[in-house]
Structures are given as C-alpha cells and as structure tokens.
Amino acid sequence: MAERRARPASKSARGSVWRRALTPPAPPAGRPPAPRPGPVEPERPDRAASVVQAVLYEDGVRVAAPASLAETYRALREAPSGMAWIGLARPTEGELLSLAAEFDLHPLAVEDALEAHQRPKVERYGDTLFVVLRAARYLDASEEVDFGELHVFVGPDFVITVRHGAAPDLSAVRRRMEETPELLRLGPEAVLYAILDAVVDDYVPVVAGVQNDIDEIETEVFRGDPEVSRRIYELSREVVEFQRATRPLVGMLHGLMAGFTKYETDDELQSHLRDVADHVAHTSERVDGFRQALTDILTVNATLVTQQQNAEMRALAEAGFEQNEEIKKISSWAAILFAPTLVGTVYGMNFKHMPELSWSFGYPLAIGLMGVVCASLYVIFKRRDWL
C-alpha cells in the first residue's frame, strides 16, 4: 500500500481539472510507451473468479488487459498516467477486500457493494465516489421487468463496477468508450457518465413495454377479463420498483452536475451529463404517470366488478322473487284442493255408526261445504296476490 500511495496520480494529459483538484500533482515517471493491443475482447463471465474484465487505459487508449486483479494492480502501479477499469459480477468478499486494500475504498461502501438491494444513491468517501444504480430491462417473452443492481466506485485513476444481475450490459459501454478515445481521455468521470447514460437509455424500452402492458390491461378491463385484477397488481408492483429506481436518479444527477461544475470538469462532459439528467427527469415523470394510470384502472376495474356483482345479485333476487311467486300459487291451489280432500276423507272412513249417514241432505251438505271452503280460500289468496 505504501508503494501505491507513493505512485504519482496526476492525469494532466486527460484534461481533468476535477482529478487535479483531488490529487497533488507529481511529475510522470518516464517509461517506454506500451504497445496497443488488438481489437476489444467481449466481456466473458468465465474469466478468473468474478472479474468480468480488467483493462488499463492511457490517454483514452487501451494498453493492457490483465488476467487477474493482482496483474491489474501491478500494471496500474507501473503506469502513473493510466486508468484502470475493473468490471466484476457478484464478486466474493475476498475480491472486494482486495480492491478495498489496493484503492483505499471505504469499508461502508465495500459493505454496501457486497449486499444487493441497495437504494440508488451517490456518496463521496474522500476522493472516491460510490454510486448505486438500479438497472432495468423489459422481457418480451414473459412481459415482465427485470431489475439489476450496479455499484460503481470512481476514483482518481480507477473505475470499479460491481454488477448484481444481468443488466446493464457494460461490455457495450466499454466498446462505446473505446471507440471514442477523446471521451475516454477525460478519465473516470467520463466512464461514470457513460455508465449512467447506458442505464438511463435501457429505461426507454422498459417504458415502452410498460406502456404497452397498460394499454392491453385497459382493453381487458372493459372486456371483463377475470384475470385482469391479478395482472394490474403485478404490473403495479413492477411500476413501484421502477419508480424506486428512477426517482432518486433525478437528485443524484443534479448533485453530480453540481460537483462537475465545482471541480470544473470538461464542459462537454458537463453537457452530456445534463442531457442524461433531462432523460432521467422525463422517464421519472412517465413512471409516475404509469403509477397514477394503474391506480385509476384499478379503481375502474373495481367499479366494473362491483356493478357486475350487483347485476348478478339483482338477477338472483329477481329469480328468487319469481320462484317465490310460483311457490305461493302452488301452495294456494294445494290448500284449496286440500279442503274437499279432507271432507271426502272423513266420509270415506266407512264406519257403521257415523252421524248423518242416513240423512238425505248429507251429500248436498258435504258438497256445499267443500265449495264454500274452496271459494273462501280462493278469495283470501286472491286478495293477498297469491293467485
């Protein structure tokens, strides 16, 4: 570490006033120029341990691609005007502790980098910036939003990226930067800008995908699809997560712009960062609109479901009423017919000694009694609207 701290850290060739303000100037060590390597290698997950790719740059040009962290440290010590860009994917604790010892990373930042599920933020520890970003990508097959997490350490002569998740594709960012050496020459803050720009650009297809999902949900709501409530809930959760990823970026980028202005970073780079901030603000507004739209859709869907349930209950009530009317009619006629049946049953008991068996008016009286009872019951049920 003593050798590391003694190594000159001035990057005047990059034109970065920000870095010169952080590190005392020192004369560059003389050495022969390093040869330029061949074409850019794609980032490979099968590199040693969790190191996706480690590259050393000088004056915006790639000069070495060490195969391990130890070789990267050694190459950077031998290149006073160099910049190391180290990419890691889900690193081990030992790897991060090695980087912390080499680059004087703050323990709190290292602890955050080990654990995913951090909120987007930017923090300064001495001359090192620690940035947490939430990347997103839209999966067309499952119509879902996949979120990743990216931690970035930005120091005077190094950039360390730690990915937790598949997004973002930093190999594309690296290729873009290597194809524009005039931008890469501006140093670590230019790399940070490129990473921010890539993360924000990846939000565009996500916004389009979520908008398409909302349009489909609106159609399903008015079609009465019974599964739409579940889809609204799931999409609402994704939008909330998306909101948590984008909303803090607005304040973060304004803070970075203020820092770039304070340390008189290259004007062109400041312009690029302002452009990213504009895109973030626009995306954040769209996401806020999505959440409000889903809330309104959920309210409309609840209203439609309630109306449908009310209609079903009304239909059931009408059916029950009609059924009750039929039951009343049947019961009324059964009561009317029961009266003569009762009288006839008495006379059909066939007992020898019964009153009025020999009376000549017995039969007319029985018939008349049946008629009177039936007529009386008919009138009573008719008045009660049972018939």
Side-chain angles (χ1 to χ4, degrees):
M1 289 303 298
E3 181 183 359
R4 170 73 183 165
R5 286 192 291 269
R7 183 171 58 82
S10 175
K11 305 292 185 292
S12 56
R14 298 175 186 168
S16 173
V17 180
W18 174 78
R19 189 174 298 101
R20 291 201 301 273
L22 291 175
T23 310
R31 62 176 181 79
R36 291 190 180 184
V40 177
E41 300 178 11
E43 295 190 355
R44 304 195 311 269
D46 58 346
R47 292 291 291 264
S50 305
V51 180
V52 179
Q53 194 170 39
V55 180
L56 188 67
Y57 300 94
E58 280 196 84
D59 199 28
V61 178
R62 174 192 259 197
V63 295
S68 66
L69 290 178
E71 293 180 16
T72 304
Y73 302 157
R74 184 167 52 253
L76 188 58
R77 291 190 189 107
E78 295 172 354
S81 60
M83 178 190 72
W85 183 353
I86 303 172
L88 302 98
R90 297 185 179 91
T92 64
E93 183 177 359
E95 290 166 342
L96 276 180
L97 290 178
S98 173
L99 289 165
E102 178 66 22
F103 296 108
D104 295 327
L105 304 182
H106 197 278
L108 292 178
V110 174
E111 182 180 354
D112 287 345
L114 276 171
E115 300 290 337
H117 310 294
Q118 301 292 326
R119 64 177 180 83
K121 61 181 179 179
V122 56
E123 295 178 344
R124 177 179 291 279
Y125 298 99
D127 60 354
T128 301
L129 283 177
F130 177 61
V131 182
V132 178
L133 302 172
R134 295 297 305 277
R137 60 174 182 166
Y138 187 80
L139 304 178
D140 291 318
S142 58
E143 294 185 340
E144 295 178 348
V145 181
D146 178 47
F147 293 95
E149 193 166 322
L150 179 65
H151 300 171
V152 186
F153 294 91
V154 182
D157 55 358
F158 66 87
V159 176
I160 302 171
T161 58
V162 180
R163 281 194 295 117
H164 294 277
D169 182 10
L170 294 183
S171 61
V173 179
R174 193 186 295 274
R175 285 194 297 271
R176 172 194 168 191
M177 294 297 290
E178 293 183 354
E179 289 170 359
T180 54
E182 64 278 5
L183 183 60
L184 188 56
R185 189 178 294 119
L186 297 176
E189 59 268 37
V191 177
L192 176 60
Y193 148 73
I195 293 173
L196 287 167
D197 189 46
V199 170
V200 174
D201 284 347
D202 286 345
Y203 290 157
V204 174
V206 177
V207 169
V210 173
Q211 179 66 68
N212 184 66
D213 288 346
I214 291 176
D215 293 341
E216 292 178 356
I217 285 175
E218 288 178 341
T219 303
E220 293 172 0
V221 164
F222 290 100
R223 285 180 180 173
D225 190 335
E227 297 294 328
V228 70
S229 297
R230 181 181 182 86
R231 189 175 181 188
I232 293 173
Y233 172 72
E234 292 174 348
L235 187 58
S236 296
R237 292 183 60 185
E238 293 178 355
V239 169
V240 169
E241 191 72 17
F242 198 13
Q243 196 174 39
R244 291 173 180 170
T246 57
R247 181 174 289 178
L249 278 180
V250 177
M252 289 170 55
L253 284 168
H254 281 89
L256 285 173
M257 287 190 297
F260 277 24
T261 303
K262 176 181 177 181
Y263 295 108
E264 300 179 358
T265 307
D266 184 84
D267 292 339
E268 187 68 18
L269 194 56
Q270 292 187 47
S271 300
H272 289 327
L273 195 63
R274 284 193 295 269
D275 182 63
V276 175
D278 290 341
H279 291 169
V280 167
H282 177 69
T283 301
S284 181
E285 291 173 359
R286 292 288 304 276
V287 175
D288 291 344
F290 289 158
R291 187 169 184 181
Q292 183 60 46
L294 285 171
T295 300
D296 294 341
I297 292 173
L298 191 61
T299 302
V300 171
N301 182 64
T303 302
L304 293 176
V305 169
T306 302
Q307 290 177 350
Q308 182 179 1
Q309 291 176 343
N310 290 339
E312 293 174 353
M313 292 296 294
R314 186 165 51 251
L316 287 174
E318 291 175 355
F321 176 77
E322 293 175 358
Q323 188 176 20
N324 289 337
E325 292 297 314
E326 295 297 327
I327 291 175
K328 287 192 295 184
K329 291 179 181 179
I330 294 172
S331 301
S332 299
W333 285 113
I336 293 172
L337 295 175
F338 176 74
T341 302
L342 178 63
V343 176
T345 302
V346 172
Y347 277 89
M349 296 175 66
N350 298 321
F351 287 100
K352 183 176 181 181
H353 300 285
M354 290 183 65
E356 304 161 352
L357 285 178
S358 302
W359 187 35
S360 58
F361 294 101
Y363 178 75
L365 179 62
I367 295 299
L369 182 61
M370 294 179 189
V372 170
V373 172
C374 291
S376 299
L377 291 175
Y378 181 83
V379 171
I380 292 172
F381 292 144
K382 191 70 173 179
R383 288 181 177 179
R384 295 185 179 183
D385 292 331
W386 283 29
L387 291 173

